[in-house]
Amino acid sequence: MSEEKTLHEVATYSKDTPTSRPDLDGRAGVFVPTEKFDVAGSTSIRKGSGIAGFGNPDGSLTVYFENNRFDDSSLHKWENKVRKAYDRMVMNAPTVNKAKLDPKMLEYVGFIDGQGIQLKHPELLQHWLEQSGAVDTAPAGPIVVWPKSKNRF
């Protein structure tokens, strides 16, 4: 007898998600957790985290995140957390704030590059920050432009 064949759920990232580690000033995706991600049970990504990353050939996501675990005042705003995560990623800096995740756990909300952040789905970010009790950290609008700086690194 032949076995019954079933389709398994397949997860993949958005077609807009960059598919490799960005170079300095290159583009990366910005993400928020979905309802499938157990934020309360997570020891890594915490409420209000800024998350940036890219897709892998196997369909997973590599993400860098910033929680502001030590309550650094310069990382209070959400966009500064995402920028910190992004900077670690493009510099390939050693960090514990890095994970390889199933894309069902995260929702693509926009992108970040060396110029700033552009949110494609600001309502999803707003929902994440409301759930996190961090609405006061939200960006003023869907586009965040970095100030010009000669010595970024």
Side-chain angles (χ1 to χ4, degrees), residues 48 68 71-81 136-138:
N68 195 16
D71 204 24
D72 180 343
S73 61
S74 69
L75 294 173
H76 176 72
K77 297 291 283 177
W78 172 84
E79 62 258 33
N80 293 340
K81 292 176 196 170
D136 65 317
T137 70

Side-chain angles (χ1 to χ4, degrees), residues 6-65:
T6 61
L7 292 176
H8 295 281
E9 185 176 354
V10 176
T12 188
Y13 42 81
S14 164
K15 66 181 174 79
D16 295 328
T17 304
T19 55
S20 63
R21 177 186 306 280
D23 292 329
L24 185 64
D25 291 336
R27 183 180 282 200
V30 176
F31 302 91
V32 297
T34 66
E35 68 283 344
K36 294 183 183 215
F37 187 87
D38 180 14
V39 177
S42 175
T43 58
S44 55
I45 297 175
R46 297 177 180 190
K47 290 182 175 184
S49 291
I51 306 167
F54 56 90
N56 299 306
D58 66 0
S60 66
L61 292 170
T62 296
V63 295
Y64 287 70
F65 51 92

Side-chain angles (χ1 to χ4, degrees), residues 30-32 49 78 109 119 121-130 138-139:
V30 176
F31 302 91
V32 297
S49 291
W78 172 84
V109 296
L119 296 171
H121 303 285
E123 71 285 356
L124 295 174
L125 171 62
Q126 187 67 25
H127 180 68
W128 164 238
L129 295 176
E130 286 170 3

Side-chain angles (χ1 to χ4, degrees), residues 25 79-80 83 113-117 143-153:
D25 291 336
E79 62 258 33
N80 293 340
R83 172 105 187 243
D113 61 19
Q115 304 299 309
I117 299 170
I143 297 176
V144 176
V145 179
W146 307 134
K148 299 286 183 203
S149 172
K150 292 180 183 174
N151 298 320
R152 187 166 144 216
F153 294 106

